[in-house]
Amino acid sequence: MQGVGTLGGAVAVYAAARMGLSAWKRQKLAERNRDQAEVILHAAYNARRALGYLRSPWMSGGELAAAEEKLNSSEPTWRNSIVEEKQKRLITAQAYYMRASQLLDDRTKLEDCLPMARALFGEDLENAIETLHHQFHIVRTYADAYVDDYNGTDRDFTVKIRRALFATNKRTAGEENEVSDAIDTSIATIEAICLPYLRMEAL
């Protein structure tokens, strides 16, 4: 009987150890998910702020002067055979490029979140981060289009360009802004997936 009791005690200790190990693993997984969710949210919020700066409709005289100086130094003859209106737009576009270059760190940190986002949280989070990151490219693409749209022959396209380049904080109901909508939708998805881990609601 003593042997049976000893065996029973050993089994109980083993079972308790297994339960403890399982709880420890769950805790470590929860901590890892929480930490990664925090990194992703931080990168997403910084990217949203960066896109707001990139798309700010206000450009200072100093910013435009720096953009013009950049064009002069890289291609001294850039004004040749270009009408004045297109020259102005080239300077503005260059200012957008310079803003985008300043924001490279925010873009890189967001992109770095992609592998773990999919591995830990799934495809929806990965897609939301990719969509948010893609808006930087879209703004630059429309900055290029802005240069060639100086004639304004396609009014609908002109409006679309301006919507992409300029962030608007106040929009009337039903007013469309593809880039702003994509940013808002992406952030909402990222928050819906990541915030519960920070608030311990996903455990």
Side-chain angles (χ1 to χ4, degrees):
M1 294 297 293
Q2 183 178 358
V4 173
T6 302
L7 179 60
V11 171
V13 170
Y14 175 75
R18 286 292 300 271
M19 290 177 63
L21 179 62
S22 178
W24 178 81
K25 287 182 177 178
R26 287 197 302 271
Q27 179 182 350
K28 287 300 179 182
L29 179 59
E31 290 174 356
R32 183 180 63 175
N33 288 351
R34 181 197 62 206
D35 291 346
Q36 190 61 39
E38 183 177 354
V39 169
I40 291 171
L41 275 170
H42 189 262
Y45 288 154
N46 282 343
R48 177 174 62 181
R49 190 177 300 110
L51 282 162
Y53 165 69
L54 178 60
R55 300 175 67 219
S56 172
W58 183 81
M59 285 188 178
S60 68
E63 191 175 7
L64 292 172
E68 185 173 3
E69 183 179 347
K70 177 70 173 177
L71 286 169
N72 290 335
S73 62
S74 61
E75 183 57 56
T77 61
W78 69 275
R79 293 182 187 273
N80 294 354
S81 303
I82 299 178
V83 298
E84 184 178 357
E85 177 59 30
K86 190 168 184 178
Q87 291 176 16
K88 293 178 181 178
R89 287 177 176 246
L90 274 168
I91 293 171
T92 300
Q94 181 61 44
Y96 276 105
Y97 303 153
M98 294 170 70
R99 282 181 176 182
S101 295
Q102 295 171 20
L103 302 171
L104 180 59
D105 187 54
D106 291 313
R107 294 166 55 195
T108 300
K109 287 180 178 177
L110 182 66
E111 189 174 26
D112 288 344
C113 293
L114 284 168
M116 294 304 292
R118 184 179 184 91
L120 294 178
F121 305 105
E123 187 177 356
D124 287 347
L125 183 59
E126 179 189 39
N127 290 340
I129 293 173
E130 283 185 333
T131 298
L132 183 60
H133 184 268
H134 188 56
Q135 302 315 302
F136 289 98
H137 173 70
I138 288 177
V139 173
R140 286 204 52 163
T141 299
Y142 276 108
D144 291 335
Y146 175 74
V147 174
D148 294 324
D149 189 54
Y150 66 94
N151 286 325
T153 54
D154 187 339
R155 184 183 179 281
D156 290 340
F157 189 54
T158 298
V159 171
K160 191 171 184 177
I161 290 171
R162 292 186 176 276
R163 285 202 304 258
L165 294 181
F166 304 143
T168 52
N169 294 326
K170 295 180 180 180
R171 286 186 282 165
T172 59
E175 183 179 354
E176 187 179 21
N177 188 308
E178 295 88 344
V179 175
S180 295
D181 292 342
I183 293 170
D184 292 345
T185 301
S186 297
I187 290 292
T189 299
I190 293 168
E191 287 181 332
I193 295 172
C194 291
L195 281 177
Y197 288 91
L198 269 65
R199 296 168 179 168
M200 308 303 286
E201 296 169 4
L203 303 182

